[in-house]
Amino acid sequence: MAGALPCLIFAATLMLASIKSSTASRMAKPGCQETCGNLTIPYPFGIGEGCFHEGFDVSCENNTVYRHNSSSRLKIYDINLLGGQAKVNTFIASKCLNDTSGWASLDTGKFFTVSTIANKLTAVGCNTLAFLEGYNEHSVGAGCFSMCVDKESVDDGVQCSGMGCCQTSIAPNLVSSNITFDNRFNNHEVRGFNPCSYAFVAEQDWFRFEASYLEDNKFTEKFNDGVPTVLDWVAGYEYCDEAMKNMSMYACISKNSQCITSPNATGYLCKCKNGFAGNPYLEEGCQDINECNLPHQYPCHGICSNIIGDYDCSCKSGTQSTEPKRKTCDPIAVSERARLTKMFAGISACAVLLLICIFALLIEYQKRKLVKEKKIFFQQNGGLLLYEQIRSKQVDTVRIFTKEELENATNNFDSSRELGRGGHGTVYKGILKDGRVVAIKRSKVMNMDQKDEFAQEMVILSQINHRNVVKLLGCCLEVEVPMLVYECIPNGTLFDLMHGKNRRLSISLDIRLKIAQESAEALAYLHSSASPPIVHGDVKSPNILLGDNHTAKVTDFGASRMLPTDEIQFMTMVQGTIGYLDPEYLQERQLTEKSDVYSFGVVLLELITMKFAIYSDSAGEKRNLASSFLLAMKENGLQFILDKNILEFETELLQEIAQLAKCCLSMRGEERPLMREVAERLRSIRSTWRVQLIQNPSRETECLLENSSHYDPSSTGQHGSLMTLDLESGR
Ligand SMILES: *[C@@H]1O[C@H](CO)[C@@H](O)[C@H](O)[C@H]1NC(C)=O
Ligand SMILES: *[C@@H]1O[C@H](CO)[C@@H](O)[C@H](O)[C@H]1NC(C)=O
Ligand SMILES: *[C@@H]1O[C@H](CO)[C@@H](O)[C@H](O)[C@H]1NC(C)=O
Ligand SMILES: *[C@@H]1O[C@H](CO)[C@@H](O)[C@H](O)[C@H]1NC(C)=O
Ligand SMILES: *[C@@H]1O[C@H](CO)[C@@H](O)[C@H](O)[C@H]1NC(C)=O
Ligand SMILES: *[C@@H]1O[C@H](CO)[C@@H](O)[C@H](O)[C@H]1NC(C)=O
Ligand SMILES: CC(=O)N[C@H]1CO[C@H](CO)[C@@H](O)[C@@H]1O
């Protein structure tokens, strides 16, 4: 038995660790920062947009958590999720000799109040009367008087007895308060041993009084940084029944959570139902407690089996009753003595058995948890839907990758493998086991609805096969946020080509027309291939990849369907693609094919002006390319905005392209042409241009014809010389 004790302790530690890790992993919203310094930040608290519930916005600076947007900028030490409390740092009011000022105020901000149970108003000093004036729904106040005429009368205990230190309770639900001193009492009479008075609201049992605090500077030296104060918070000011009526603001969204009226403040809090633990404010926050793993809290003297939200305790076979009984197991005693003997023998056997069981259970539990998690994610991410489709042969082009495969392919998502980072996620370069190079996109966080749509989207996308659309090869659904695997397009994006490092090279008009036409074809195809039409929703030059021979490949397709629709995240999205966004979409929030037409119009403009969608003019002012262009069109000043390198070519043709772009940029969606029409128009413009090149050979034409047999755009040398000629012909 000697070895059993350390064993037990070890087992208990392991158990605690496993409980900690399983709950700790679900405290913040997925994808949000979970800790700051050594403080865990549980949702509804959160850092950054989309990570907090309204009113619980905090920031992390220098490993310290601050409550945002409260006028006193409160530093948070501790958050008690289930008790609805937070410990913050507040300031001390101090007054020395007979100066009249000296105050400290506190504004708690929305949903927070100063806890009346947990705090006390404390004053330190002799001949000191400290006041707290505050406001809950009414004006309220409290005062505390400390009296001592000489040093000897100061009570040198740890408690505040009223001599040198006093304490009093404060009113409930304070949202703002101001601590001041009564000027009729001052330190002049006791200046010899107590020059200053101090007052503060702090956690009740935290402060230990010492007589030396009355001496010069002793107190401020020790408590210069402020004192800890407990605030109560609520998820909302309503009572539970009212709160549940408005689901848009209701905070207890976890499946097995419930609403409780806060005992400490006015409003409601959330809690997991009995048998569940975790964060009740998160969608999947409340998780079943496996009671059988916690024999101390949930003693079971038989066979313990966990069930969702509860547990069963049945007798071991061999005893009289084999029928399962709840919680306890007391087979009818034959005789007291027999029972005792049996029990005694049982206990030691049980202890050993228990130990082994605990170990086995622990290992099994962790393993199962992982498998279960994967399975849950798989289901959440629409895996079953997709699996069905694959089986019924509706989808035969898409593979489902495992998490391990993708981790191996990307060297564990090493940052050196990063190809790009955008509004929707990060793209990594991956090398599959069979040597194929692929691009792997890890999306940002999604909610459940988006995940369902994601699967639908994948089914649609997998059926698309167009030479100008980046091909979807597969996906991985076993992770919290699904990952997509695309074919890898080697030559960068159109954005890089125009604005990247090599932008000093001019791009021939022919190539520009080719890219424009091919992108338009891709979008037209996508708009017409399915019903309802698939809308890209994020057409922009960074989303047009370039393959060999400058073949355009549209990517990030269907991002729109995965885009969040609630307001906060919507704003992020707008920022991500500002400059390309259809103004009508902004107003009506209704994404249509015509939104893509508008965005394509901006890409077309980029191609003929070589400017960014939002660019700085010569005066350094930010301008919207679409607006500048439309203005230039109106004022017949097209030559001032077009790229100088193509300006001299063929004004009629350029006019035609500009006219097309103008149509695409029409304010009203219905006035814009269909993508199919745009593609047709570009096709005819391009063929006109080619015919002209052949009939009326300029130097660019000669160059093109000369090089056509061994034209290889992937070799920069060739490319470069071609461009030089290009430039010359422009002069
Ligand atoms: C967190 O860190 C601070 C100092 O960095 C320390 O004073 C405090 O005790 C720590 N809290 C916990 C819970 O470890
Ligand atoms: C804390 O932040 C301030 C600026 O806000 C900075 O000057 C200081 O170096 C930071 N301290 C640490 C320890 O990071
Ligand atoms: C209410 O206040 C008490 C005393 O500060 C605290 O222990 C408890 O966690 C608070 N909240 C709830 C929900 O009881
Ligand atoms: C404080 O007040 C006393 C009389 O009440 C006066 O004699 C003394 O000069 C004052 N001290 C200061 C620093 O104002
Ligand atoms: C607190 O009270 C003092 C004295 O009445 C006053 O001067 C100060 O402005 C008050 N502070 C706030 C924030 O109300
Ligand atoms: C629910 O709350 C939101 C935000 O406070 C509010 O705009 C909406 O009108 C409320 N709905 C109902 C039915 O009360
Ligand atoms: C308590 C507080 O300062 N609340 C402010 C938070 O920020 C919003 C908008 O920025 C203000 O309207 C609130 O007054």
PDB file of all heavy atoms in Angstrom, residues 5-30:
ATOM      1  N   LEU A   5       0.031   5.594  -2.345  1.00  0.00           N
ATOM      2  CA  LEU A   5      -0.250   7.001  -2.061  1.00  0.00           C
ATOM      3  C   LEU A   5       0.294   7.934  -3.133  1.00  0.00           C
ATOM      4  O   LEU A   5      -0.465   8.719  -3.705  1.00  0.00           O
ATOM      5  CB  LEU A   5       0.285   7.343  -0.671  1.00  0.00           C
ATOM      6  CG  LEU A   5      -0.121   8.745  -0.200  1.00  0.00           C
ATOM      7  CD1 LEU A   5      -1.642   8.828  -0.054  1.00  0.00           C
ATOM      8  CD2 LEU A   5       0.567   9.102   1.107  1.00  0.00           C
ATOM      9  N   PRO A   6       1.644   7.820  -3.417  1.00  0.00           N
ATOM     10  CA  PRO A   6       2.141   8.684  -4.491  1.00  0.00           C
ATOM     11  C   PRO A   6       1.383   8.449  -5.789  1.00  0.00           C
ATOM     12  O   PRO A   6       1.142   9.371  -6.552  1.00  0.00           O
ATOM     13  CB  PRO A   6       3.610   8.292  -4.639  1.00  0.00           C
ATOM     14  CG  PRO A   6       3.897   7.291  -3.609  1.00  0.00           C
ATOM     15  CD  PRO A   6       2.686   7.000  -2.821  1.00  0.00           C
ATOM     16  N   CYS A   7       1.025   7.174  -5.992  1.00  0.00           N
ATOM     17  CA  CYS A   7       0.297   6.820  -7.202  1.00  0.00           C
ATOM     18  C   CYS A   7      -1.017   7.570  -7.276  1.00  0.00           C
ATOM     19  O   CYS A   7      -1.372   8.138  -8.292  1.00  0.00           O
ATOM     20  CB  CYS A   7      -0.004   5.328  -7.187  1.00  0.00           C
ATOM     21  SG  CYS A   7       0.705   4.513  -8.588  1.00  0.00           S
ATOM     22  N   LEU A   8      -1.709   7.560  -6.142  1.00  0.00           N
ATOM     23  CA  LEU A   8      -3.005   8.228  -6.072  1.00  0.00           C
ATOM     24  C   LEU A   8      -2.860   9.715  -6.357  1.00  0.00           C
ATOM     25  O   LEU A   8      -3.621  10.306  -7.112  1.00  0.00           O
ATOM     26  CB  LEU A   8      -3.605   8.044  -4.687  1.00  0.00           C
ATOM     27  CG  LEU A   8      -4.723   7.001  -4.600  1.00  0.00           C
ATOM     28  CD1 LEU A   8      -5.140   6.819  -3.166  1.00  0.00           C
ATOM     29  CD2 LEU A   8      -5.898   7.425  -5.471  1.00  0.00           C
ATOM     30  N   ILE A   9      -1.806  10.273  -5.716  1.00  0.00           N
ATOM     31  CA  ILE A   9      -1.585  11.703  -5.895  1.00  0.00           C
ATOM     32  C   ILE A   9      -1.308  12.006  -7.363  1.00  0.00           C
ATOM     33  O   ILE A   9      -1.877  12.918  -7.948  1.00  0.00           O
ATOM     34  CB  ILE A   9      -0.402  12.188  -5.025  1.00  0.00           C
ATOM     35  CG1 ILE A   9      -0.812  12.092  -3.559  1.00  0.00           C
ATOM     36  CG2 ILE A   9       0.003  13.607  -5.384  1.00  0.00           C
ATOM     37  CD1 ILE A   9       0.317  12.281  -2.598  1.00  0.00           C
ATOM     38  N   PHE A  10      -0.485  11.117  -7.929  1.00  0.00           N
ATOM     39  CA  PHE A  10      -0.146  11.292  -9.336  1.00  0.00           C
ATOM     40  C   PHE A  10      -1.404  11.229 -10.203  1.00  0.00           C
ATOM     41  O   PHE A  10      -1.647  12.065 -11.068  1.00  0.00           O
ATOM     42  CB  PHE A  10       0.837  10.198  -9.751  1.00  0.00           C
ATOM     43  CG  PHE A  10       1.266  10.308 -11.178  1.00  0.00           C
ATOM     44  CD1 PHE A  10       1.859  11.468 -11.653  1.00  0.00           C
ATOM     45  CD2 PHE A  10       1.071   9.259 -12.058  1.00  0.00           C
ATOM     46  CE1 PHE A  10       2.250  11.572 -12.971  1.00  0.00           C
ATOM     47  CE2 PHE A  10       1.461   9.360 -13.372  1.00  0.00           C
ATOM     48  CZ  PHE A  10       2.056  10.510 -13.826  1.00  0.00           C
ATOM     49  N   ALA A  11      -2.232  10.226  -9.860  1.00  0.00           N
ATOM     50  CA  ALA A  11      -3.463  10.062 -10.630  1.00  0.00           C
ATOM     51  C   ALA A  11      -4.342  11.290 -10.504  1.00  0.00           C
ATOM     52  O   ALA A  11      -4.889  11.786 -11.483  1.00  0.00           O
ATOM     53  CB  ALA A  11      -4.220   8.831 -10.145  1.00  0.00           C
ATOM     54  N   ALA A  12      -4.420  11.780  -9.260  1.00  0.00           N
ATOM     55  CA  ALA A  12      -5.276  12.943  -9.030  1.00  0.00           C
ATOM     56  C   ALA A  12      -4.761  14.150  -9.807  1.00  0.00           C
ATOM     57  O   ALA A  12      -5.532  14.897 -10.410  1.00  0.00           O
ATOM     58  CB  ALA A  12      -5.319  13.247  -7.543  1.00  0.00           C
ATOM     59  N   THR A  13      -3.418  14.315  -9.807  1.00  0.00           N
ATOM     60  CA  THR A  13      -2.844  15.445 -10.530  1.00  0.00           C
ATOM     61  C   THR A  13      -3.156  15.340 -12.005  1.00  0.00           C
ATOM     62  O   THR A  13      -3.563  16.302 -12.645  1.00  0.00           O
ATOM     63  CB  THR A  13      -1.307  15.453 -10.366  1.00  0.00           C
ATOM     64  OG1 THR A  13      -1.005  14.933  -9.102  1.00  0.00           O
ATOM     65  CG2 THR A  13      -0.757  16.838 -10.521  1.00  0.00           C
ATOM     66  N   LEU A  14      -2.978  14.129 -12.508  1.00  0.00           N
ATOM     67  CA  LEU A  14      -3.250  13.902 -13.926  1.00  0.00           C
ATOM     68  C   LEU A  14      -4.681  14.270 -14.262  1.00  0.00           C
ATOM     69  O   LEU A  14      -4.965  14.918 -15.252  1.00  0.00           O
ATOM     70  CB  LEU A  14      -3.044  12.419 -14.251  1.00  0.00           C
ATOM     71  CG  LEU A  14      -1.747  12.062 -14.954  1.00  0.00           C
ATOM     72  CD1 LEU A  14      -1.705  10.580 -15.227  1.00  0.00           C
ATOM     73  CD2 LEU A  14      -1.594  12.856 -16.235  1.00  0.00           C
ATOM     74  N   MET A  15      -5.547  13.838 -13.333  1.00  0.00           N
ATOM     75  CA  MET A  15      -6.961  14.054 -13.556  1.00  0.00           C
ATOM     76  C   MET A  15      -7.258  15.538 -13.600  1.00  0.00           C
ATOM     77  O   MET A  15      -7.945  16.024 -14.482  1.00  0.00           O
ATOM     78  CB  MET A  15      -7.730  13.427 -12.414  1.00  0.00           C
ATOM     79  CG  MET A  15      -8.909  12.656 -12.888  1.00  0.00           C
ATOM     80  SD  MET A  15      -9.246  11.394 -11.719  1.00  0.00           S
ATOM     81  CE  MET A  15      -9.611  12.347 -10.305  1.00  0.00           C
ATOM     82  N   LEU A  16      -6.718  16.237 -12.610  1.00  0.00           N
ATOM     83  CA  LEU A  16      -6.942  17.677 -12.556  1.00  0.00           C
ATOM     84  C   LEU A  16      -6.457  18.322 -13.831  1.00  0.00           C
ATOM     85  O   LEU A  16      -7.118  19.155 -14.414  1.00  0.00           O
ATOM     86  CB  LEU A  16      -6.205  18.277 -11.360  1.00  0.00           C
ATOM     87  CG  LEU A  16      -6.967  18.134 -10.051  1.00  0.00           C
ATOM     88  CD1 LEU A  16      -6.166  18.719  -8.923  1.00  0.00           C
ATOM     89  CD2 LEU A  16      -8.311  18.852 -10.163  1.00  0.00           C
ATOM     90  N   ALA A  17      -5.263  17.871 -14.265  1.00  0.00           N
ATOM     91  CA  ALA A  17      -4.686  18.462 -15.463  1.00  0.00           C
ATOM     92  C   ALA A  17      -5.606  18.253 -16.645  1.00  0.00           C
ATOM     93  O   ALA A  17      -5.822  19.147 -17.440  1.00  0.00           O
ATOM     94  CB  ALA A  17      -3.323  17.845 -15.742  1.00  0.00           C
ATOM     95  N   SER A  18      -6.167  17.041 -16.713  1.00  0.00           N
ATOM     96  CA  SER A  18      -6.993  16.759 -17.878  1.00  0.00           C
ATOM     97  C   SER A  18      -8.285  17.560 -17.829  1.00  0.00           C
ATOM     98  O   SER A  18      -8.775  18.015 -18.841  1.00  0.00           O
ATOM     99  CB  SER A  18      -7.282  15.268 -17.992  1.00  0.00           C
ATOM    100  OG  SER A  18      -8.346  14.934 -17.153  1.00  0.00           O
ATOM    101  N   ILE A  19      -8.807  17.759 -16.624  1.00  0.00           N
ATOM    102  CA  ILE A  19     -10.036  18.553 -16.516  1.00  0.00           C
ATOM    103  C   ILE A  19      -9.736  19.979 -16.932  1.00  0.00           C
ATOM    104  O   ILE A  19     -10.449  20.588 -17.705  1.00  0.00           O
ATOM    105  CB  ILE A  19     -10.564  18.538 -15.080  1.00  0.00           C
ATOM    106  CG1 ILE A  19     -11.033  17.138 -14.725  1.00  0.00           C
ATOM    107  CG2 ILE A  19     -11.695  19.520 -14.911  1.00  0.00           C
ATOM    108  CD1 ILE A  19     -11.104  16.903 -13.246  1.00  0.00           C
ATOM    109  N   LYS A  20      -8.621  20.459 -16.423  1.00  0.00           N
ATOM    110  CA  LYS A  20      -8.233  21.830 -16.733  1.00  0.00           C
ATOM    111  C   LYS A  20      -8.133  22.024 -18.234  1.00  0.00           C
ATOM    112  O   LYS A  20      -8.691  22.938 -18.792  1.00  0.00           O
ATOM    113  CB  LYS A  20      -6.885  22.123 -16.094  1.00  0.00           C
ATOM    114  CG  LYS A  20      -6.976  23.218 -15.059  1.00  0.00           C
ATOM    115  CD  LYS A  20      -5.595  23.586 -14.647  1.00  0.00           C
ATOM    116  CE  LYS A  20      -5.603  24.678 -13.618  1.00  0.00           C
ATOM    117  NZ  LYS A  20      -4.389  24.687 -12.863  1.00  0.00           N
ATOM    118  N   SER A  21      -7.404  21.103 -18.885  1.00  0.00           N
ATOM    119  CA  SER A  21      -7.166  21.322 -20.306  1.00  0.00           C
ATOM    120  C   SER A  21      -8.442  21.221 -21.100  1.00  0.00           C
ATOM    121  O   SER A  21      -8.638  21.907 -22.071  1.00  0.00           O
ATOM    122  CB  SER A  21      -6.130  20.333 -20.836  1.00  0.00           C
ATOM    123  OG  SER A  21      -6.738  19.079 -20.958  1.00  0.00           O
ATOM    124  N   SER A  22      -9.370  20.343 -20.633  1.00  0.00           N
ATOM    125  CA  SER A  22     -10.565  20.182 -21.447  1.00  0.00           C
ATOM    126  C   SER A  22     -11.490  21.376 -21.319  1.00  0.00           C
ATOM    127  O   SER A  22     -12.180  21.727 -22.258  1.00  0.00           O
ATOM    128  CB  SER A  22     -11.293  18.899 -21.083  1.00  0.00           C
ATOM    129  OG  SER A  22     -11.829  19.024 -19.794  1.00  0.00           O
ATOM    130  N   THR A  23     -11.511  21.999 -20.142  1.00  0.00           N
ATOM    131  CA  THR A  23     -12.392  23.159 -20.054  1.00  0.00           C
ATOM    132  C   THR A  23     -11.665  24.396 -20.554  1.00  0.00           C
ATOM    133  O   THR A  23     -12.238  25.221 -21.230  1.00  0.00           O
ATOM    134  CB  THR A  23     -12.870  23.396 -18.611  1.00  0.00           C
ATOM    135  OG1 THR A  23     -11.727  23.433 -17.793  1.00  0.00           O
ATOM    136  CG2 THR A  23     -13.797  22.316 -18.146  1.00  0.00           C
ATOM    137  N   ALA A  24     -10.362  24.479 -20.244  1.00  0.00           N
ATOM    138  CA  ALA A  24      -9.632  25.677 -20.626  1.00  0.00           C
ATOM    139  C   ALA A  24      -9.631  25.862 -22.133  1.00  0.00           C
ATOM    140  O   ALA A  24      -9.575  26.965 -22.624  1.00  0.00           O
ATOM    141  CB  ALA A  24      -8.199  25.602 -20.127  1.00  0.00           C
ATOM    142  N   SER A  25      -9.752  24.762 -22.883  1.00  0.00           N
ATOM    143  CA  SER A  25      -9.655  24.902 -24.321  1.00  0.00           C
ATOM    144  C   SER A  25     -10.898  25.532 -24.926  1.00  0.00           C
ATOM    145  O   SER A  25     -10.929  25.812 -26.092  1.00  0.00           O
ATOM    146  CB  SER A  25      -9.403  23.534 -24.946  1.00  0.00           C
ATOM    147  OG  SER A  25     -10.523  22.719 -24.691  1.00  0.00           O
ATOM    148  N   ARG A  26     -11.906  25.750 -24.133  1.00  0.00           N
ATOM    149  CA  ARG A  26     -13.129  26.281 -24.724  1.00  0.00           C
ATOM    150  C   ARG A  26     -13.572  27.584 -24.085  1.00  0.00           C
ATOM    151  O   ARG A  26     -14.740  27.873 -23.989  1.00  0.00           O
ATOM    152  CB  ARG A  26     -14.257  25.280 -24.567  1.00  0.00           C
ATOM    153  CG  ARG A  26     -14.074  24.099 -25.431  1.00  0.00           C
ATOM    154  CD  ARG A  26     -15.095  23.064 -25.141  1.00  0.00           C
ATOM    155  NE  ARG A  26     -14.611  21.788 -25.578  1.00  0.00           N
ATOM    156  CZ  ARG A  26     -14.496  21.451 -26.834  1.00  0.00           C
ATOM    157  NH1 ARG A  26     -14.851  22.278 -27.784  1.00  0.00           N
ATOM    158  NH2 ARG A  26     -14.019  20.279 -27.176  1.00  0.00           N
ATOM    159  N   MET A  27     -12.647  28.382 -23.604  1.00  0.00           N
ATOM    160  CA  MET A  27     -13.066  29.580 -22.887  1.00  0.00           C
ATOM    161  C   MET A  27     -13.306  30.771 -23.807  1.00  0.00           C
ATOM    162  O   MET A  27     -14.225  31.537 -23.609  1.00  0.00           O
ATOM    163  CB  MET A  27     -12.025  29.921 -21.824  1.00  0.00           C
ATOM    164  CG  MET A  27     -12.202  29.064 -20.592  1.00  0.00           C
ATOM    165  SD  MET A  27     -13.837  29.301 -19.870  1.00  0.00           S
ATOM    166  CE  MET A  27     -14.160  27.727 -19.157  1.00  0.00           C
ATOM    167  N   ALA A  28     -12.466  30.929 -24.810  1.00  0.00           N
ATOM    168  CA  ALA A  28     -12.653  32.060 -25.723  1.00  0.00           C
ATOM    169  C   ALA A  28     -13.349  31.568 -26.971  1.00  0.00           C
ATOM    170  O   ALA A  28     -13.442  30.372 -27.211  1.00  0.00           O
ATOM    171  CB  ALA A  28     -11.306  32.676 -26.066  1.00  0.00           C
ATOM    172  N   LYS A  29     -13.858  32.487 -27.747  1.00  0.00           N
ATOM    173  CA  LYS A  29     -14.446  32.114 -29.030  1.00  0.00           C
ATOM    174  C   LYS A  29     -13.365  31.489 -29.895  1.00  0.00           C
ATOM    175  O   LYS A  29     -12.211  31.893 -29.815  1.00  0.00           O
ATOM    176  CB  LYS A  29     -14.974  33.368 -29.731  1.00  0.00           C
ATOM    177  CG  LYS A  29     -16.478  33.450 -29.706  1.00  0.00           C
ATOM    178  CD  LYS A  29     -16.944  34.492 -30.695  1.00  0.00           C
ATOM    179  CE  LYS A  29     -18.436  34.423 -30.846  1.00  0.00           C
ATOM    180  NZ  LYS A  29     -18.954  35.435 -31.734  1.00  0.00           N
ATOM    181  N   PRO A  30     -13.724  30.526 -30.739  1.00  0.00           N
ATOM    182  CA  PRO A  30     -12.699  29.932 -31.606  1.00  0.00           C
ATOM    183  C   PRO A  30     -12.011  31.012 -32.433  1.00  0.00           C
ATOM    184  O   PRO A  30     -12.670  31.907 -32.948  1.00  0.00           O
ATOM    185  CB  PRO A  30     -13.508  29.004 -32.514  1.00  0.00           C
ATOM    186  CG  PRO A  30     -14.785  28.768 -31.796  1.00  0.00           C
ATOM    187  CD  PRO A  30     -15.037  29.929 -30.929  1.00  0.00           C
TER     188      PRO A  30
END
